[in-house]
């Protein structure tokens, strides 16, 4: 039986209702059904479609510009943190539970806006909205963001329904503490490999120690000075970090191989090729293999729609540090930002919780921006 | 049914017969039975006892000195290298198969000597021997040398039948290319641990990288100058080698722990305590835990019995580099040497093979020394 969601409810209550429908990656069907059903019932003016457990909805008002709002329905596995509960009261009330931060608060804001844009009444909580919309809107509620890249629902939509992702600005409603986070850094992971020659440790001079040979790479890491790059008023701090090291054959054998995995986060003024070339320079002399790489995204805050959102949010935009699906939109040539309720450092923790005030404020900022 | 061994046969043929009775560690019963049966039948003058799959035999002639000869019956697992086969001919004939080197050649030599010492005839292959013995002899054929220290049959004998190990010189017939290898180096393994603080690699400055922190220890390893120590004409080359390194949490996490395992081989002029103190000095600043340690053994070549054996072998003694059960005898206060046929670097290989000439020469050297 499909869970009934009231999209016209207070977005905090809607968040709580979404949180209480478990939707661990791969098991989003019940929540996707509920979202699809509620949009069909409460926002009949929207064009609606579905792909797997991804639900898509859009207006077709003929506006000159279109804003795409995207959020994922899935969460990381539960950790004894459902159903939701609330603590505190008034402006300091907190909503606790898996997904409150990452990212059912953002999804609730999106559903709230969708109901307003597609509702038969054209009204939401007393405010004029439909007809006053400045941009056409596309809503993307997608699946499997918290698992490997190849399963990500947004990737499937990009392949199967590409026109549903296009627009003049993308707003990914991932938690950002209600601040506009612009663009994102790229990330590249490489494996450095040193080789040697096995020997019994009692006759070590007959061998060559691959772990010792990795020492110089670790010295270069320790001495590395990461760049700080300013773009459109956003500051990107780069990083170069060993994330794994492994080597060794047995307790009495000089090892013949050592592998050091390094993760480089690079500012979006560099593409993947330049980032790789930089690492090949830093680690000259080592065998280097690229394990994975994702381009960053320029903040794109010079476009009119992005400027309007920053103005509506009333704050200075900041650089997004982690890699997010914002980069997918950037790769499509669109300016893209993160904007959503919740502290991203609480994502995936057992103690995940969101200040309810942030949910309400994000909804207001987006209504002001769009209306 | 017990396999019949002819202890009065040519020691090469006896080696071949021993090789063809598989005796992987823990499965030595058939070979121990055969050894016990043959000694009882063909060396009735010996006092015989058994403990598990260890067989012990000794003369009680009232000589002023006693030499203990020890060899293990077990081998590492088979690798398609049984039964034995022979290649070449004459002095360049080779005997191939699991255990030919480690160490059924040495066991055959010991059985050959035992039959001579305990045979009713008092003769072996035409040479006078019994009655002419200069030393009383103890033979220890033991089990489980190739597995963990705690299962080693020699350790059990030391606890249960300690007087069977005592004497004025111990000769462990492990492969040594027919050269007297004297004493052995000690070995100590330590774990160095660096700690840090986890953080997302996109916000690396909020953490502290434990792998980077291990770089300095690796530099010290690369720069380390091992000692070379001369004792009793034997040269001991020390070593300090990383044998394992492990660290890492996930591909996007600054790791908070890295463990580097280091193996130090130290000359027998130092005991375990001094070796540990040395490592604590080398790796000052790191958390250091001793994983295991075995004392080395001084060569002890200044004692008369050891000198006689070196003279009989006609060669300069050399330092034993790896740790062997020689150190157990040294810990009992006895001079102890390795002396046996076969190239130790072929031990445990699929291609294990021994020049038959070495087997015969080791038997001759020991007959000359003992007779």
């Amino acid at each position: 039986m499909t869970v009934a969601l009231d999209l016209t409810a207070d977005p905090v209550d809607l968040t709580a209702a979404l949180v209480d429908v478990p939707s661990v990656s791969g098991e989003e069907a019940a929540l996707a059904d509920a979202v699809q059903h509620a949009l069909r019932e409460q926002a009949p003016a929207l064009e609606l479609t579905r792909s797997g457990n991804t639900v898509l909805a859009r207006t077709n008002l003929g506006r000159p510009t279109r804003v795409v709002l995207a959020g994922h329905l899935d969460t990381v596995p539960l950790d004894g943190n459902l159903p939701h509960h609330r603590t505190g009261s008034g402006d300091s009330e907190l909503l606790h539970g898996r997904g409150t931060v990452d990212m059912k608060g953002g999804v609730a804001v999106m559903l709230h806006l969708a109901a307003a844009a597609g509702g038969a009444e054209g009204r939401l909580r007393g405010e004029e909205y439909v007809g006053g919309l400045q941009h056409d809107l596309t809503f993307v509620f997608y699946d499997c963001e918290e698992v490997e890249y190849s399963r990500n629902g947004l990737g499937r939509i990009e392949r199967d329904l590409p026109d549903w992702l296009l627009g003049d600005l993308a707003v990914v409603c991932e938690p950002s503490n209600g601040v506009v986070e612009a663009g994102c850094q790229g990330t590249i992971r490489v494996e450095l490999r040193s080789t040697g020659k096995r020997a019994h440790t009692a006759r070590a001079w007959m061998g060559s120690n691959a772990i010792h040979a990795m020492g110089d790479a670790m010295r270069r890491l320790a001495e590395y000075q990461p760049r700080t790059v300013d773009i459109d008023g956003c500051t990107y701090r780069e990083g170069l970090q060993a994330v794994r090291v492994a080597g060794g054959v047995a307790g009495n054998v000089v090892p013949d191989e050592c592998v050091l995995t390094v993760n480089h986060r690079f500012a979006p003024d560099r593409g993947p090729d330049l980032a790789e070339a930089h690492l090949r320079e830093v680690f000259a002399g080592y065998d280097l293999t690229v394990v994975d790489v994702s381009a960053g995204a320029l903040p794109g805050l010079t476009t009119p729609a992005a400027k309007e959102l920053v103005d509506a949010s009333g704050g200075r935009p900041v650089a997004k540090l982690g890699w997010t699906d914002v980069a997918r939109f950037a790769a499509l040539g669109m300016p893209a930002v993160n904007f959503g309720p919740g502290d991203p450092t609480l994502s995936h923790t057992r103690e995940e919780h969101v200040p309810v005030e942030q949910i309400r404020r994000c909804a207001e900022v987006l209504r002001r921006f769009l209306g």
Side-chain angles (χ1 to χ4, degrees), chain A residues 66-342:
Chain A
R66 177 175 291 277
V67 173
V68 180
L69 296 113
H72 61 84
L73 296 175
D74 61 320
T75 69
V76 296
L78 308 188
D79 192 8
N81 48 6
L82 280 193
H84 81 277
H85 70 279
R86 298 176 187 232
T87 57
S89 62
D91 275 0
S92 60
E93 186 179 356
L94 301 175
L95 186 64
H96 302 256
R98 174 60 78 230
T100 48
V101 170
D102 192 7
M103 56 169 284
K104 292 184 175 176
V107 170
V109 170
M110 288 168 62
L111 286 169
H112 170 86
L113 299 170
E121 303 294 318
R123 291 176 171 272
L124 181 80
R125 295 170 64 78
E127 294 195 33
E128 287 289 341
Y129 189 79
V130 166
L133 267 182
Q134 293 189 32
H135 314 275
D136 265 309
L137 300 181
T138 302
F139 297 91
V140 183
F141 302 94
Y142 63 104
D143 59 317
C144 288
E145 191 269 351
E146 298 289 7
V147 288
E148 59 269 31
Y149 191 85
S150 60
R151 291 173 64 192
N152 188 305
L154 211 49
R156 192 176 64 247
I157 300 306
E158 196 176 335
R159 287 189 300 276
D160 298 347
L161 301 167
D163 67 296
W164 279 84
L165 299 188
L166 299 182
D168 300 277
L169 173 69
V171 180
V172 178
C173 297
E174 288 267 6
S176 71
N177 277 314
V179 171
V180 173
E181 291 185 335
C184 75
Q185 294 194 322
T187 177
I188 179 170
R189 241 177 303 274
V190 299
E191 282 181 358
L192 305 176
R193 202 169 302 267
S194 59
T195 52
K197 189 181 162 209
R198 287 192 196 186
H200 196 290
T201 50
R203 295 181 286 272
W205 58 90
M206 296 179 70
S208 165
N209 195 310
I211 295 178
H212 297 193
M214 200 51 89
D216 193 52
M218 285 162 70
R219 181 188 59 73
R220 296 183 210 179
L221 276 169
E223 292 176 358
Y224 185 81
Q225 296 291 331
R227 295 190 309 156
T228 296
V229 179
D230 283 304
I231 306 170
D232 291 356
C234 297
T235 302
Y236 295 88
R237 285 178 70 169
E238 296 193 332
L240 185 67
Q241 295 287 319
V243 292
R244 183 164 298 279
V245 63
V249 176
N252 59 355
V253 175
V254 176
D256 59 349
E257 185 175 88
C258 183
V259 178
L260 183 69
T261 310
V262 173
N263 182 209
H264 179 41
R265 301 285 171 148
F266 54 97
D269 64 330
R270 279 187 181 163
D273 290 350
L274 272 179
E276 180 183 338
H278 176 61
L279 293 186
R280 291 195 182 277
E281 190 180 309
V282 170
F283 297 111
Y286 287 92
D287 176 46
L288 183 152
T289 310
V290 176
V291 178
D292 57 48
V293 59
S294 301
L298 286 164
L301 295 180
T302 53
T303 60
K307 271 188 183 160
E308 284 170 34
L309 174 56
V310 171
D311 290 345
S313 74
R316 276 173 54 86
V318 299
K320 179 70 182 174
L321 296 169
W323 191 92
T324 75
D325 275 323
V326 157
R328 292 181 186 267
F329 290 101
L332 297 173
M334 296 160 63
V337 299
N338 277 292
F339 181 72

Side-chain angles (χ1 to χ4, degrees), chain A residues 24-44:
Chain A
V24 174
S25 307
E27 298 162 17
E28 302 94 336
L31 185 57
D33 288 349
V35 165
Q36 183 178 14
H37 182 77
L39 287 170
R40 190 186 300 122
E41 296 292 313
Q42 298 167 54

Side-chain angles (χ1 to χ4, degrees), chain A residues 15-30:
Chain A
T15 302
L18 293 169
V19 165
D20 287 348
V21 183
S23 58
V24 174
S25 307
E27 298 162 17
E28 302 94 336

